[in-house]
Amino acid sequence: MSDLTITPVTTKSERKAFVDLPFRLYKDDPAWVPPLKGEALGLITPEKNGWYSHAKAQLFLAREGGRIVGRISAHIDTLALTMPADQGFGPGVGQWGLMEAEREDIFTALLATAEGWLRDQGMTRALGPISQSIWEEPGLLVQGFDHSPTVMMGHAKPEYQGWIERAGYRQIKQLFTYELDITQEFPPIVKRIIRSGENNPRIVVREVDKRKFEEEAAIILSILNDAWSDNWGFVPLTPPEIKDVGVKLKPIVFNDLIRIAELDGKPVAFMITLPDLNEPIKPLNGSLLPFGWAKLLLWLRKPKVRTMRVPLMGVVKELQASRMASQLAFMMIEYIRRASVEHYGASRGEIGWILDDNQGMRSIAETIDSKVNKVYNVYERTL
């Protein structure tokens, strides 16, 4: 370790090296999905990521013998600092993420460097891994290494868990994803609940209208900010981030895969489902050239996928403790399940991530016979 050096990323070429490292570290991992390099670069480039409008970050690279052997980001989200401390963030909480390393000693040195940067910024507690926004890829994969992550979910090496825990970090939160066979109909009790909702004239579950993208997005965002506001790790999405999300996700937004539930004419719940973009991206090995862009464009016109992912779902707080909340959820899930199978050839669904203490959503997932397939840990340590 004598010639190990860790330096801040300051140039475009260093940002490119930061993005390139996982391609070497995971080249023999069949479950890893190479991200599109242009998109990965955009996430760590302040001018291209709306998250930086309320956050700052420092990237670091580790070199040994002239080779890049590790990376990490240290970052501070100013909105997260204003959140209640009992919701995970709060005053003095900095974060780190995007960590990769060839060996434990390299990782330990990178982590110490990130922690030092956070201390210099006045932070008193470190939380990680969060890469980089809570809305991107939070947590470290600790279960489910044998199959590829779905779109907007992370992957990691199994040894990272031990490295983090030996560095003095303790787990404070777990995030679960659930999988299910969507070609199978739901249990009889769920069917009865759905039929009851369909017979209730107060309830309307409708598809979104992509032609009114901004209007529909505003409705969903309003429900989301209300439904999730008390959740651990919640940080409200800002207009620049919403714009970025719109640009990124609009190509994989389909009317019949996103539903809004209305009660007495008022939107009170939503469910977003995305075709697993990782399936067509994985064979491209990070590049749209020379023919990747054409293949992806062709897929986007009429996507056929094995897996559908539900990244976001919410019911307004005033209904969350009621039977109506689960009824609306089951109705949206069923309508999207049917569309996924009939129109996109999907056979598998993945719900999540879901917080370990979100008993309502975990109960819904278990009632439709889905099982935990991946677990992600978030860790903390006092600085």
Side-chain angles (χ1 to χ4, degrees), residues 18 43-44 51-52 55-59 71-77 80 87-90 93-99 107 111 114 118 125-141 154 164 169 172-173 175 232-235 241 353 355 376-380:
F18 192 95
L43 288 174
I44 59 173
W51 173 76
Y52 282 91
K56 57 182 176 180
Q58 180 60 65
L59 309 177
R71 73 177 202 181
I72 199 168
S73 79
H75 43 275
I76 297 168
D77 186 328
Q87 284 183 224
F89 294 143
V93 178
Q95 300 151 37
W96 54 266
L98 298 173
M99 64 95 176
F107 169 75
L111 188 56
L118 291 173
R125 188 165 145 246
L127 204 92
I130 294 180
S131 305
Q132 291 173 281
S133 162
I134 190 71
W135 297 104
E136 290 170 10
E137 292 182 7
L140 175 81
L141 181 68
I164 291 172
Y169 279 79
I172 58 165
K173 187 58 59 179
L175 316 175
W232 181 93
F234 175 77
V235 177
E241 290 173 285
W353 45 271
L355 292 165
Y376 296 79
N377 284 358
V378 180
Y379 294 91
E380 72 162 356

